[in-house]
Amino acid sequence: MIVFQDLKKNFGKFEVLKTINLKINEGGIFAILGPNGSGKTTLIKSLLGMVIPQNGTITINNQQVIHKWNYRDKVDYLPQIANFPSNLKVIELINMVKDIRGRKCRDQELINLFRITPFLNKKLGTLSGGTKQRVNLVLTFMFDSPLIILDEPTSGLDPVALITLKELIINEKAKGKTIIITSHIMSFVEELSDEVVFILDGEIYFQGSVSKLKEQTKQSSFEYAIASILKEQYV
Amino acid sequence: MFKILKYSIFDLLRSRWSFIYLVFYLLLGSVLLLLNSNLSNAIITLLNVVTVLVPLIGTIFGIMYYYDSKEFTELLLAQPIKRSNIFLGQYFGVAISLSLSLIIGLGIPFLFYGLVISEKVFEFISLIIVGTFLTFIFTAISFFIALSFDNKIKGFSVAILMWLLLAVIYDGIFLISLVYFEQYPLDVFSLTAVMLNPIDLGRTLMLLKLDISALLGYTGAIFKKFFGTNLGSTISFIVLIIWSLIPILGIVWKSNKKDF
């Protein structure tokens, strides 16, 4: 179980997260939603230790994570923008990450799954956005960790890769893993997630299942339910 | 940390710039030996090059490497590696490969000239030690500056200003104040002033070693008077070590509280 308690983060004067209290149960797919700049990525990055919050605690299975690093061995992370060192070849990058983790992994299986084989000897700088994202997905999923964090996993993917990704996520869930996803593609979230949390201006606005959200907003579709929350805010 | 160090060195050895740096020192060493036709003179000329150029190259390389490998760093930050080890690994990677270029680039021409059989071998080694120290110190300072500024242009400007201050302006202010306060006892002042600048300190260390009174200047003379050659060298040496440690600790401190 992941617990965020009284989490606060400012960047200068700008309050990105204002007192976040959130519990994420083990197993299942958990979606974090919210408009641009609402603090989704900051929340995820604090869990990963890339952003250091001013206040509050984060625990994974009762273990503190702030200022620790060992726990990341049990976390797989897909960053939002696939920024890779451009002068490296795909295969070199994969081997390097394998070497750094020093753990058994299933790279070959994922290389085949995401059809990366023809690009293995190409430099990362020459790849298209979608191909980069596929390499990014291989790097994320290859270690088989119990916690997977995906920040905008669908960006740039073609329909075939998107279906592959969906199937992969469903398979990983079946293994009992916890998967945290942020996305702006509502159909993707509705199809996959067991629970959603909606963040607005650094605060948690809603937490629960998709059907509960529809009920609360009195909307028949998920997309309209989200839109109605946003309209309420902007008016 | 050693895995990061390995990849940084590997990456830098493949890069064109460390090679250009190496060739530059090879040429400089050879030309100076040819023109001076004397080991001692070549070492003195090199001293002036080393104390100005080595800090500049360390600064520029450090700052460029940090900003260039930002993407790689972000990838590493999500891996199970201690934060400070990522930056220390990269820093040592840059500092070690720059020092290797310096040692090999100057070492080869001097070896061919018959350095080992001459009595100047220790002076040459001191020169290399000073150069290596300055590389480590200035690369560390530039890494610290890069960690403090997310904006590339700002970071680059601050780093260059820092170099300009320590390599050029500091000496100017030091000299002016010596002339201005002529009638006061300036021993403690000038000793402190030398300690506070690693470039001056490296130069003093070398001059004490070379034992050339004409080049010793005021500060060197005071150092010699107060400490005698051996004690003076030891103290300069210790202060150089402190000078390397402070920015390295700064890197650790800064990297532990930065957001990415």
Side-chain angles (χ1 to χ4, degrees), chain A residues 9 11 45 49-52 67 69 72-73 77 83-85 87-88 92-93 96 99-101, chain B residues 3-4 6-7 11 14 71-72 74-83 256-260:
Chain A
K9 178 69 197 172
F11 288 119
K45 283 189 170 178
M50 294 170 81
V51 165
I52 295 158
H67 292 301
W69 57 274
R72 283 201 286 267
D73 193 37
Y77 168 58
N83 271 336
F84 294 126
N87 57 346
L88 271 183
E92 284 173 333
L93 180 70
M96 192 150 118
D99 180 37
I100 286 168
R101 283 254 182 148
Chain B
K3 276 181 185 164
I4 313 288
K6 184 180 83 185
Y7 284 114
D11 186 29
R14 282 205 307 190
E71 287 141 15
F72 181 44
E74 273 168 27
L75 187 87
L76 292 175
L77 280 165
Q79 304 297 330
I81 312 168
K82 203 171 157 192
R83 240 183 204 215
N256 278 331
K257 48 175 245 174
K258 192 176 158 67
D259 295 317
F260 290 91

Side-chain angles (χ1 to χ4, degrees), chain A residues 181-201:
Chain A
I181 300 178
T182 76
S183 181
H184 285 292
I185 315 289
M186 290 305 142
S187 58
F188 184 79
V189 173
E190 190 177 9
E191 203 179 324
L192 290 173
S193 58
D194 300 309
E195 200 176 352
V196 296
V197 62
F198 197 90
I199 299 182
L200 255 180
D201 296 327

